[in-house]
Amino acid sequence: MQQLIPLTCFFDSIKRPTAQQISQVKQYFWKTSFSNRYTSGQSNAKMDSDIERIKEIADGESNVFSSYEYTVTENTLINTKFSKANPLTRAFLLLMAQYHPVDLVKNQRVDLGTSLASYNRKEYHHVFPQAYLKSKSVHHDDIFCVLNFCFLSSDSNKAISRKAPSTYFETLVPQDTFTDVLSSNVLPINKTIYQKDDYKTFIDRRASEVVSKIDELTA
């Protein structure tokens, strides 16, 4: 991740950053994470440019990254297959982590240290279970859409297994904290989507939710 070098320069040159400086560097991180800045060529030149802008922050400049824009769209997310080798998947996971996800079944904060570990593949859950979608003849790439994933403990994952959302969102997800639990996972809170096992609407709505969160993080 080439962003690490400009970020290292930031913390090396600014020992006690102000809240405004932290806000600017966060804006830089999220805008570049959800763009093709480092995947569209000339990455070294772009990194050098970013380092120069970091120095401007150290010199007291504001709105240094206002000209940067994220390029991810709802369609981009819908067409992205989950893979930890994919920069967009990694950015998506980090975005999810920002909202302190709560386990859908246990109603407890997910241990992100465990979930984000590179060796751990059991802490990612298909919201619409893989086996369930396969039984409905949903295409493999659609099943593995990045938007169909959330953090979940392996125990809860096993409890859900291949159950249809219309079943497990009713019987396993705590109803008294339903909205809070789903919101913490940036999931649509409309129960009808799950009651109808409406995968397409789920993906479309979640794409919209995620882009809204990107807007918040890059504002």
Side-chain angles (χ1 to χ4, degrees), residues 74-80 92 126-128 133 138 141-149 186-188 193-194 197-211:
E74 292 179 20
N75 280 336
T76 306
L77 292 165
I78 290 169
N79 291 306
T80 296
F92 172 80
H126 288 79
V127 181
F128 277 61
L133 290 176
V138 176
D141 286 353
D142 293 331
I143 293 173
F144 281 85
C145 172
V146 69
L147 295 166
N148 192 30
F149 284 82
V186 195
L187 292 170
I193 293 172
Y194 309 104
D197 295 320
D198 189 345
Y199 187 54
K200 184 181 185 307
T201 299
F202 165 76
I203 291 295
D204 289 344
R205 294 281 180 85
R206 198 177 194 204
S208 177
E209 295 272 358
V210 171
V211 170

Side-chain angles (χ1 to χ4, degrees), residues 89-172:
T89 296
R90 295 197 295 268
F92 172 80
L93 292 174
L94 290 174
L95 181 147
M96 295 297 107
Q98 292 299 298
Y99 295 94
H100 310 294
V102 172
D103 189 292
L104 292 176
V105 176
K106 295 180 178 179
N107 199 22
Q108 298 173 350
R109 189 76 61 83
V110 173
D111 181 351
L112 293 174
T114 299
S115 297
L116 289 170
S118 61
Y119 61 82
N120 200 330
R121 298 183 179 180
K122 296 182 179 179
E123 303 291 323
Y124 306 117
H125 165 64
H126 288 79
V127 181
F128 277 61
Q130 178 182 354
Y132 167 76
L133 290 176
K134 191 173 181 179
S135 74
K136 300 298 180 181
S137 301
V138 176
H139 191 277
H140 178 272
D141 286 353
D142 293 331
I143 293 173
F144 281 85
C145 172
V146 69
L147 295 166
N148 192 30
F149 284 82
C150 71
F151 293 115
L152 195 71
S153 68
S154 57
D155 288 346
S156 295
N157 215 338
K158 290 174 184 175
I160 291 171
S161 185
R162 59 186 298 141
K163 294 180 179 67
S166 56
T167 298
Y168 86 82
F169 271 87
E170 182 69 27
T171 61
L172 295 179

Side-chain angles (χ1 to χ4, degrees), residues 21-68:
Q21 289 171 328
I22 290 291
S23 177
Q24 287 192 82
V25 82
K26 284 182 177 179
Q27 186 184 67
Y28 160 74
F29 175 78
W30 291 114
K31 283 184 174 183
T32 54
S33 292
F34 286 103
S35 73
N36 58 1
R37 181 166 180 78
Y38 285 117
T39 58
S40 59
Q42 298 182 319
S43 56
N44 286 338
K46 291 172 182 175
M47 182 174 61
D48 291 342
S49 174
D50 291 348
I51 290 171
E52 290 304 312
R53 288 177 183 259
I54 290 291
K55 291 177 180 177
E56 291 177 20
I57 295 177
D59 291 336
E61 296 291 333
S62 59
N63 300 318
V64 170
F65 296 108
S66 60
S67 64
Y68 284 35

